[in-house]
Amino acid sequence: MSEGATGLPFEPEPNKRLAMICWSSDLDKVWPVLILGTTAAASGMEVDIFFTFWGLRVLQRNDKRVTGTNLRQKAEAIVDRGGTDHLKLGKINFGGAGTWMIKGLAKDYKVASPTELLGFAIDMGVRLYPCQMTMDLYGLKKEDFVDGIQPSMGAASFLDMAAEADISLFI
Amino acid sequence: MSEGATGLPFEPEPNKRLAMICWSSDLDKVWPVLILGTTAAASGMEVDIFFTFWGLRVLQRNDKRVTGTNLRQKAEAIVDRGGTDHLKLGKINFGGAGTWMIKGLAKDYKVASPTELLGFAIDMGVRLYPCQMTMDLYGLKKEDFVDGIQPSMGAASFLDMAAEADISLFI
Amino acid sequence: MSEGATGLPFEPEPNKRLAMICWSSDLDKVWPVLILGTTAAASGMEVDIFFTFWGLRVLQRNDKRVTGTNLRQKAEAIVDRGGTDHLKLGKINFGGAGTWMIKGLAKDYKVASPTELLGFAIDMGVRLYPCQMTMDLYGLKKEDFVDGIQPSMGAASFLDMAAEADISLFI
């Protein structure tokens, strides 16, 4: 710490910043992204989350089923259903039984669901950015996403944010 | 660098800090967590590791088999055995043959096992924190864990540590 | 910001730095590593990437098939083929159909292939380091790798780089 440009004996501490890449749409990865994001926001941190690759599907509205315009995009949408209500565990899924079991445990212990956490995140000012390149690949459009998110951006913009952040995580 | 509060022309460099989230209990993920943690500690860095989600099982004693109190917790413990002796590869496991092969290679080339590395980490002062929320979900208690770890904590405390760290990783 | 040792009213901003661990050889993980690495380099950042565990196979020449000297090493090389032309999705691979579909989409939308991106990265001065410990495990030698990479190193050297970097990611 040193005497700052303000002439004060200390610099007013700017908000700490957290920048995350949400790369996965697995339930067990999206949960930490949203728990870390909302917890950080509740502690007064500024939070930016970049949703890319599989992770882009997290921002999809739960009532959108088939997305994209060409056949490959539609096929991908069918095997990789989007929306926070449809996330599955990346491990011990057992045809859905494991996911059902873990969701049951979470409910018993009052851990908020990904759908609730996404809503909290938006309400708390967490900035959620869809990746433009992945949108192009999947044929996803602005209207396929939940309300309250930021405009799409690319990897270069995310890197600028991450370089200014105090914590950067790839999840 | 600037003149600091000590009046010296430079601030004595504090120890560098590494903060990691150990999210996985896959052998091939736990190995890097423990190799990075012990290597950093050996270089004089301060190291904090937060064990959460699947990763919490890494801190479980090897002789604990079924954990938790209710049926879902017991079922989860059975399909997801804890303890550093029981970790399996997340890839090319082949019903255990791949894990056996990689463990054999590691032994031939004198790479320490996860169980050895966890012991080294504790001896070197690496701070290992179980996630309280995951403990509640799994029904895991303090006595289910190896000795020498820190008290449980939550995501907010981890974020405070990570914000002060020079390196933050989610593994 | 404060007056620096140069006596100037500001310090000339050194280049921002990105340090990444490429741990995976899954197509869907290697793509973000190489997209982030080349994008950062194009923005003037200095980029260091440490290839370890499964990720070491990314640096392998596409025309090397069986590597290593002992049986276990050869077996591992057969089930885990290296080289950027042979990467497979970690999810919805469907015996190669999913990988083919996503590669097709990427081509349609002019996303560069991992092989092209690895070449760009080297041309742009991104520093690519193979992990010495993993080389020993796999029995991989310098001549098994593509040209233009850095000498091998260990975890301690990577941690030194990451501690100086503005962004550190484990992918």
Side-chain angles (χ1 to χ4, degrees):
Chain A
M1 292 299 131
S2 57
E3 294 202 13
T6 56
L8 293 170
F10 57 87
E11 283 290 281
E13 178 108 73
N15 279 359
K16 294 284 185 178
R17 291 183 59 174
L18 167 64
M20 289 187 284
I21 293 181
C22 177
W23 166 89
S24 175
S25 63
D26 289 341
L27 173 61
D28 41 348
K29 286 281 182 80
V30 175
W31 238 325
V33 168
L34 295 176
I35 290 172
L36 288 169
T38 52
T39 303
S43 317
M45 295 180 76
E46 287 189 57
V47 185
D48 295 294
I49 315 179
F50 183 51
F51 291 81
T52 188
F53 278 73
W54 312 113
L56 184 65
R57 294 279 179 205
V58 175
L59 296 181
Q60 191 174 323
R61 288 175 195 279
N62 282 311
D63 57 2
K64 288 273 169 183
R65 188 66 191 88
V66 180
T67 54
T69 49
N70 64 44
L71 242 158
R72 276 182 182 144
Q73 290 170 339
K74 288 177 184 177
E76 205 287 328
I78 287 167
V79 296
D80 181 32
R81 179 158 191 189
T84 42
D85 281 350
H86 309 117
L87 309 177
K88 285 180 184 59
L89 290 178
K91 184 174 154 172
I92 69 161
N93 183 50
F94 295 136
T99 295
W100 171 86
M101 186 174 72
I102 296 284
K103 280 189 167 179
L105 277 174
K107 208 173 167 188
D108 292 350
Y109 290 92
K110 310 209 185 321
V111 177
S113 72
T115 303
E116 291 169 311
L117 288 166
L118 192 69
F120 297 158
I122 292 168
D123 291 345
M124 294 167 89
V126 172
R127 292 179 294 256
L128 312 172
Y129 307 86
C131 168
Q132 182 61 52
M133 188 196 79
T134 314
M135 285 175 66
D136 293 345
L137 280 181
Y138 285 169
L140 279 175
K141 291 173 180 43
K142 199 177 175 312
E143 56 267 28
D144 295 321
F145 297 129
V146 296
D147 295 326
I149 66 171
Q150 304 298 309
S152 63
M153 66 181 192
S157 303
F158 173 75
L159 287 165
D160 284 345
M161 291 174 184
E164 300 303 324
D166 300 275
I167 312 174
S168 304
L169 300 171
F170 182 101
I171 302 187
Chain B
M1 292 298 133
S2 57
E3 293 202 14
T6 56
L8 292 170
F10 57 87
E11 285 290 282
E13 178 108 74
N15 278 0
K16 294 283 185 180
R17 292 182 60 176
L18 167 64
M20 289 188 283
I21 293 180
C22 177
W23 166 89
S24 175
S25 62
D26 289 342
L27 174 61
D28 41 347
K29 285 280 181 81
V30 175
W31 238 325
V33 168
L34 295 176
I35 291 172
L36 288 168
T38 52
T39 304
S43 317
M45 295 179 76
E46 286 189 58
V47 185
D48 294 294
I49 316 180
F50 183 51
F51 291 80
T52 188
F53 277 74
W54 313 113
L56 184 65
R57 294 279 180 206
V58 175
L59 296 182
Q60 190 174 323
R61 288 174 194 279
N62 282 312
D63 56 2
K64 287 272 170 183
R65 186 67 191 86
V66 180
T67 55
T69 49
N70 65 45
L71 242 159
R72 278 180 180 144
Q73 290 170 339
K74 288 177 183 176
E76 205 288 328
I78 286 166
V79 296
D80 181 33
R81 180 159 191 185
T84 43
D85 280 351
H86 309 117
L87 309 177
K88 286 181 182 58
L89 290 178
K91 184 174 154 174
I92 67 161
N93 183 50
F94 296 135
T99 295
W100 171 85
M101 186 174 73
I102 296 283
K103 280 190 167 178
L105 277 173
K107 207 172 167 189
D108 291 351
Y109 290 92
K110 309 208 187 320
V111 176
S113 73
T115 303
E116 291 169 311
L117 288 166
L118 192 70
F120 298 158
I122 292 167
D123 292 346
M124 295 167 89
V126 172
R127 292 179 294 255
L128 312 172
Y129 306 86
C131 168
Q132 183 61 53
M133 188 195 78
T134 313
M135 285 175 67
D136 292 344
L137 279 181
Y138 285 169
L140 280 174
K141 290 172 181 43
K142 200 178 175 310
E143 57 265 29
D144 295 320
F145 296 130
V146 297
D147 294 327
I149 66 171
Q150 303 298 310
S152 63
M153 67 180 192
S157 304
F158 173 76
L159 287 165
D160 284 346
M161 292 174 183
E164 300 302 324
D166 301 274
I167 313 174
S168 303
L169 300 173
F170 182 101
I171 301 187
Chain C
M1 291 299 131
S2 56
E3 294 203 13
T6 56
L8 292 171
F10 57 88
E11 284 290 282
E13 178 108 75
N15 278 1
K16 294 283 185 179
R17 292 182 61 175
L18 168 63
M20 288 187 285
I21 293 180
C22 178
W23 167 88
S24 174
S25 62
D26 290 341
L27 173 61
D28 41 348
K29 285 282 181 79
V30 175
W31 238 323
V33 168
L34 295 176
I35 291 173
L36 288 169
T38 52
T39 304
S43 316
M45 295 179 76
E46 286 189 58
V47 185
D48 294 294
I49 315 180
F50 183 52
F51 291 80
T52 188
F53 278 74
W54 311 113
L56 184 65
R57 294 279 179 204
V58 175
L59 296 181
Q60 191 174 321
R61 289 175 193 279
N62 282 311
D63 57 3
K64 287 273 169 182
R65 187 68 191 87
V66 180
T67 54
T69 48
N70 65 45
L71 242 159
R72 278 181 180 142
Q73 289 170 339
K74 288 178 183 174
E76 205 287 329
I78 286 166
V79 296
D80 180 33
R81 180 160 191 186
T84 43
D85 281 351
H86 310 116
L87 310 177
K88 286 180 183 58
L89 290 178
K91 183 174 155 173
I92 69 163
N93 183 50
F94 296 134
T99 296
W100 171 86
M101 186 174 71
I102 296 282
K103 280 190 167 178
L105 277 173
K107 207 172 168 189
D108 291 351
Y109 290 92
K110 309 209 185 322
V111 177
S113 73
T115 304
E116 291 169 311
L117 287 166
L118 192 69
F120 297 159
I122 293 167
D123 291 346
M124 295 166 90
V126 172
R127 291 180 294 255
L128 312 172
Y129 306 86
C131 168
Q132 183 61 52
M133 187 195 78
T134 314
M135 286 175 65
D136 292 345
L137 279 182
Y138 286 168
L140 281 175
K141 291 174 180 45
K142 201 177 174 310
E143 56 267 28
D144 295 319
F145 297 129
V146 296
D147 294 326
I149 67 172
Q150 304 298 310
S152 64
M153 68 179 191
S157 303
F158 174 76
L159 286 165
D160 284 346
M161 292 175 183
E164 300 302 323
D166 300 275
I167 312 175
S168 303
L169 300 171
F170 182 100
I171 302 187

